[in-house]
Amino acid sequence: MDLTKTLIDVIDARSFSNLWYWIVLAVSWSTASHYVVGVPFDMITRAKRQGGEAFDDLVNLVGINTRRLLYIGQVSGLVILGFWAFVMTALLMLAFWYWIEFAQAVVLLAVPMTFVGILTFKTAQKIEAEQPRGPDLLKRLMRHRFYTHLIGMVSIFVTALFGMYQNLYVVQGFGG
């Protein structure tokens, strides 16, 4: 077996037929749903079950992450927004105007993650404004995780459909 051919087969540029893309997609969504406003989900469940010191740790970490996100938004939010808009516009053009498969794969990951980022920032703003305590804080964090899961499920479904389309219809030559 030729080592060069094996490496080229493993690092294939065609994204939707590559196992590595699907691993990255799964790990990305797993990570996004595990961290709720920067707080690990196991910490939320431990605080919910045990209360006391575990809950105090949760409140402290939520406060730290909320203030951090809002500070970043205040200090450099417009620069980040402008840069991200440029990147997303370039990716969307490459993906759907020039029909580059790698750009399509990145778009199908980056666009939903952008919505999760916006959701995280909005949740941080609500937590800072309302200062929820006790069960209200847990409810807010669980709602954020639910919406992240919802975005992730829709994203993975759309990505799988588009990937099948790419692999069967376009790549195999069945399309016009």
Side-chain angles (χ1 to χ4, degrees):
M1 181 172 259
D2 186 18
L3 181 62
T4 307
K5 181 171 177 1
T6 304
L7 284 174
I8 290 171
D9 288 343
V10 169
I11 308 171
D12 187 11
R14 289 189 8 234
S15 303
F16 296 109
S17 62
N18 193 333
L19 177 64
W20 291 108
Y21 174 73
W22 297 102
I23 291 171
V24 167
L25 185 76
V27 168
S28 297
W29 282 110
S30 175
T31 303
S33 66
H34 179 69
Y35 289 98
V36 181
V37 192
V39 178
F41 183 67
D42 61 292
M43 199 170 178
I44 297 169
T45 55
R46 190 170 358 112
K48 194 176 196 178
R49 274 186 277 135
Q50 295 175 358
E53 187 177 339
F55 192 81
D56 292 341
D57 291 345
L58 174 72
V59 169
N60 290 334
L61 191 54
V62 167
I64 290 167
N65 287 332
T66 298
R67 288 187 299 277
R68 181 179 156 269
L69 284 170
L70 294 177
Y71 177 75
I72 291 170
Q74 289 171 351
V75 170
S76 57
L78 287 176
V79 173
I80 292 171
L81 182 64
F83 177 74
W84 194 246
F86 169 76
V87 168
M88 291 306 298
T89 302
L91 277 173
L92 286 164
M93 290 292 293
L94 288 171
F96 299 110
W97 183 263
Y98 294 104
W99 209 251
I100 297 173
E101 185 175 343
F102 182 75
Q104 292 168 346
V106 173
V107 163
L108 288 172
L109 184 59
V111 168
M113 286 296 180
T114 300
F115 288 123
V116 171
I118 293 167
L119 177 67
T120 300
F121 189 75
K122 291 294 185 185
T123 301
Q125 285 179 326
K126 287 179 183 177
I127 289 173
E128 185 67 25
E130 298 170 3
Q131 296 290 318
R133 296 285 177 226
D136 291 336
L137 178 61
L138 291 172
K139 185 178 176 183
R140 171 78 60 201
L141 295 173
M142 295 303 285
R143 186 178 307 133
H144 180 278
R145 187 166 195 253
F146 171 76
Y147 286 125
T148 300
H149 276 147
L150 193 63
I151 293 169
M153 287 188 304
V154 170
S155 170
I156 291 169
F157 180 73
V158 169
T159 303
L161 285 179
F162 191 81
M164 285 187 283
Y165 167 77
Q166 279 291 93
N167 288 333
L168 295 175
Y169 194 71
V170 173
V171 174
Q172 307 263 328
F174 293 117

